[in-house]
Amino acid sequence: MPPKKKSRQGGAVTVTRTTRRMVRGQRGSLRDLPEMPIDILTEIFSFLLDPRNVHIWRVCREGAEDIPPLPPFMSEPAYAHLLFAPFCHGCGKSPVHRVIWTWFTRYCTQCSQEQRGYIPSYPPFLEELPDRKILVKGLVGNYGEFLSLINPSDGHYGYQRYNNYHIPQLERFLVEWNAAGSSEARKELYEKQKASVAEMRKHEKILKKWWERRHQDHMKELNEIKEQRFSEICARLEDAGWGPELDRLRDTPEGQAKLRGIPILHHPSKLTDKAFEAVLQQLHGLLTATRSTLESEARQAKLEKCLQLFDQAVEAHFVQIPRTPRMLCRPRLGDFLFEPEVEALLTGPNVDRLTVGDFAPVIPTLASRWEGRIKDELRKMVRGQVERIPEDTDPLDLAVALFTCSRCYSECVMRYPEILAHHCLHTSQPDLDTQYCRDIQAATAKVGSSSLRFSCSNLRSTSISEGKEFLTVLGMSPATTTWDELVNQNVLLRRKTCQCYPGSSECGAYTWGAALIQSRRGIGCDYNAWRLTTPQELEAISVLGGQVRLTPNGTSWSTTWVCALCHDWSERGDRVEGHLKYQHQLENVKQCVEDGTVFIHPCDVIHAHGYPIPLPHVSESL
């Protein structure tokens, strides 16, 4: 009790009692308790546990908020211990936060397994038990009437997850059962046990609801503390200059996940200056990386706009309507992005004010340099296969200057400059060792473009060696015979032996390139199976009007046709007629082919013209 004060009123001494508000849970009030002598602690605890002082426990319980009434089968100390002491009732281990309300106990995992059993179809404890018929009614017993069961189910006695009973409860009941002297006494004990279990079940429901509500209130309180702490951390970070980085982390799912993964941000404790120093230390790496990301994104945003302008400048320089096949044999955006002139523009001080006109002057120089490098590599490949090429002869003009893409399933044969239009050869990855390269790659991905560059690394030179062997068999020099000579001199070949069915045209005359392709498709390249056409056969071809011009419907499905009136339309041959009719209102497909309105994609030209010129069978022409 508070100390008494004495005061004088008119000479008389009166005694008054001061009052003060009792502070609940006053910090530090029990901090010296462990240091007290054992005998004093023993006296204190003996006093508190004396049944005559139970009113102390009751007053404390009733003075607390929202604690359910004391169950009649528990003492005040046991009840307080169950609700607030996080210790295992079996071994004393701490902490144990989960209460098994059905049994009014706290058990650790090990003790929980040791102190539970399950009731099979006919439990062993009924064997040799006197008056067991009282406990068993019908085929099965209603064991939930006299035992507090977890997961009770009358139909699943064979499963250990059902009908779990508390071993100590059963043992106490069996002791009392065996001690009863008569059937009447056991019936009375059974009814008493039923009432006790029913009472426990009633208080179990009450306490479960209270515990859940208390847990929710506790979690709400902790969450409020966490939110307050996080808000204070954010305010301090903004004051420290990390506002944009923090906004980025809070506004993106990825950033939110990273913040959730830092436990120190969400401690349920008040934020102190020392605690904030620890927070800042742990967040420094993430904030620095986020700042770097924001800077990169700012640079990339500028690059995205500039790349779109640059792409327009490249397109305007190389492509006009109507298109021609040569316009497709050109560099793409990625072929220029890592040239020094372009990097200087995209990283210079005027990057925010660039226009299409700023890129246009450098494109001719870039294009010439780009194509010159590729031509040098192609020439080197030809010289590697063909010896003694004259100095005044460009290796790329030779008939054997044929190249095959290793990435294509069909391994189509191409020449320069048509090979520049082959999409498979734009596969060279940029060097990512510099910040500029990383920014370019990210920016091109966002604008739907590509930073890949043309590369000759996927080209094969086997077609060069095959063409060399073929010309040698025909008595022509691989080092001097040019492609234009074979075309202009109308050099045509026929098979020496008929390989077709009557009525077909496979014994017709082939251009040298078409004959080479036919030989490559066979098993082994038997170039001796071919001969030059005779003057009589050439005369017959002349009479027939020469080789008929190909039409979209007269080529294979793998041949791509290009519309000269569109900026980017190309499709297989069976879709050309519909495109011309509905997009350009043109009906005469043959005329469109002749005037170049539609044309075969440059990469498919050699293969598309691989059909023979119709002639009589070999046996009939000799």
Side-chain angles (χ1 to χ4, degrees), residues 35 41 48 90 97 171 264 296 301 419 423 426 474 551 558 594:
E35 306 300 329
L41 291 175
L48 291 176
H97 299 295
E171 291 176 344
I264 197 171
S296 297
I419 197 171
H423 65 279
H426 278 84
L474 295 173
T551 61
S558 60
E594 292 179 356

Side-chain angles (χ1 to χ4, degrees), residues 7-15:
S7 62
R8 294 185 179 273
Q9 296 180 356
V13 178
T14 61
V15 179

Side-chain angles (χ1 to χ4, degrees), residues 379-391 393 395 398 400 464-465 468-469 472 477-481:
R379 287 173 180 138
K380 185 178 179 181
M381 293 177 65
V382 177
R383 287 194 178 99
Q385 298 290 329
V386 182
E387 303 83 6
R388 297 186 296 277
I389 300 176
E391 293 294 331
T393 301
L398 296 176
V400 296
I464 300 175
S465 60
K468 173 185 173 182
E469 183 180 353
T472 302
S477 172
T480 59
T481 304

Side-chain angles (χ1 to χ4, degrees), residues 134-205:
I134 300 175
L135 304 178
V136 182
K137 299 176 181 179
L139 296 177
V140 296
N142 191 3
Y143 306 107
E145 289 187 349
F146 62 93
L147 293 175
S148 300
L149 300 181
I150 296 177
N151 295 333
S153 177
D154 291 340
H156 296 86
Y157 296 138
Y159 297 92
Q160 293 193 23
R161 63 177 179 270
Y162 295 105
N163 292 337
N164 284 252
Y165 64 88
H166 194 201
I167 292 176
Q169 182 189 39
L170 176 61
E171 291 176 344
R172 288 193 299 269
F173 176 71
L174 292 180
V175 169
E176 294 180 4
W177 186 271
N178 290 324
S182 64
S183 297
E184 293 299 325
R186 293 188 181 99
K187 289 181 181 179
E188 183 179 349
L189 174 61
Y190 177 73
E191 296 299 327
K192 179 181 177 183
Q193 182 72 5
K194 281 177 56 178
S196 175
V197 168
E199 185 72 18
M200 291 177 67
R201 199 167 291 128
K202 180 181 70 174
H203 284 275
E204 172 193 349
K205 294 179 181 179

Side-chain angles (χ1 to χ4, degrees), residues 146-451:
F146 62 93
L147 293 175
S148 300
L149 300 181
I150 296 177
N151 295 333
S153 177
D154 291 340
H156 296 86
Y157 296 138
Y159 297 92
Q160 293 193 23
R161 63 177 179 270
Y162 295 105
N163 292 337
N164 284 252
Y165 64 88
H166 194 201
I167 292 176
Q169 182 189 39
L170 176 61
E171 291 176 344
R172 288 193 299 269
F173 176 71
L174 292 180
V175 169
E176 294 180 4
W177 186 271
N178 290 324
S182 64
S183 297
E184 293 299 325
R186 293 188 181 99
K187 289 181 181 179
E188 183 179 349
L189 174 61
Y190 177 73
E191 296 299 327
K192 179 181 177 183
Q193 182 72 5
K194 281 177 56 178
S196 175
V197 168
E199 185 72 18
M200 291 177 67
R201 199 167 291 128
K202 180 181 70 174
H203 284 275
E204 172 193 349
K205 294 179 181 179
I206 295 173
L207 285 170
K208 275 185 176 180
K209 292 181 180 179
W210 170 79
W211 186 263
E212 181 62 28
R213 185 170 60 252
R214 181 174 178 269
H215 175 71
Q216 292 175 354
D217 293 343
H218 180 63
M219 293 305 299
K220 181 179 178 181
E221 181 181 353
L222 291 181
N223 288 334
E224 290 175 354
I225 296 173
K226 291 179 181 179
E227 291 175 3
Q228 179 64 28
R229 176 187 176 92
F230 186 70
S231 298
E232 292 182 14
I233 289 174
C234 293
R236 292 198 185 195
L237 288 174
E238 291 174 356
D239 293 340
W242 295 103
E245 293 76 14
L246 187 62
D247 290 341
R248 170 57 185 270
L249 290 169
R250 289 186 296 185
D251 293 343
T252 61
E254 180 184 1
Q256 294 169 6
K258 291 179 179 178
L259 291 176
R260 287 195 299 268
I262 303 177
I264 197 171
L265 297 178
H266 313 288
H267 285 176
S269 59
K270 185 178 179 181
L271 183 68
T272 62
D273 293 340
K274 185 176 181 180
F276 180 70
E277 291 178 3
V279 169
L280 194 57
Q281 183 177 2
Q282 288 200 24
L283 281 179
H284 187 267
L286 177 59
L287 293 172
T288 303
T290 305
R291 174 169 292 179
S292 178
T293 300
L294 289 174
E295 293 172 352
S296 297
E297 290 178 346
R299 292 193 305 270
Q300 292 163 14
K302 295 178 181 179
L303 282 176
E304 290 171 24
K305 178 182 177 182
C306 294
L307 292 180
Q308 291 173 338
L309 298 175
F310 189 21
D311 199 19
Q312 294 174 20
V314 173
E315 186 79 13
H317 179 82
F318 289 102
V319 180
Q320 295 85 38
I321 299 298
R323 286 191 293 173
T324 63
R326 187 64 174 90
M327 292 181 186
L328 275 66
C329 306
R330 65 178 182 86
R332 298 298 187 266
L333 181 65
D335 293 311
F336 293 157
L337 290 177
F338 302 101
E339 297 297 323
E341 296 90 338
V342 177
E343 183 174 352
L345 285 171
L346 296 179
T347 58
N350 298 322
V351 64
D352 293 329
R353 297 185 294 275
L354 290 176
T355 64
V356 173
D358 294 318
F359 293 103
V362 302
I363 293 177
T365 302
L366 299 177
S368 177
R369 184 190 305 159
W370 172 80
E371 194 160 348
R373 285 196 296 258
I374 296 173
K375 290 172 70 174
D376 288 342
E377 291 189 57
L378 297 178
R379 287 173 180 138
K380 185 178 179 181
M381 293 177 65
V382 177
R383 287 194 178 99
Q385 298 290 329
V386 182
E387 303 83 6
R388 297 186 296 277
I389 300 176
E391 293 294 331
D392 59 349
T393 301
D394 188 344
L396 296 181
D397 290 338
L398 296 176
V400 296
L402 302 169
F403 308 94
T404 304
C405 176
S406 62
R407 293 170 60 89
C408 292
Y409 175 76
S410 60
E411 294 188 351
C412 58
V413 175
M414 297 169 286
R415 292 182 55 79
Y416 171 85
E418 291 79 15
I419 197 171
L420 301 179
H422 193 57
H423 65 279
C424 288
L425 299 179
H426 278 84
T427 58
S428 179
Q429 294 283 352
D431 184 4
L432 297 181
D433 290 339
T434 66
Q435 184 64 57
Y436 173 75
C437 293
R438 289 190 288 270
D439 289 344
I440 283 293
Q441 189 178 42
T444 51
K446 288 186 178 180
V447 299
S449 185
S450 172
S451 60

Side-chain angles (χ1 to χ4, degrees), residues 484-495:
D484 288 343
E485 289 175 353
L486 296 178
V487 174
N488 295 334
Q489 295 176 13
N490 198 24
V491 174
L492 299 175
L493 306 176
R494 296 198 77 181
R495 298 183 188 275

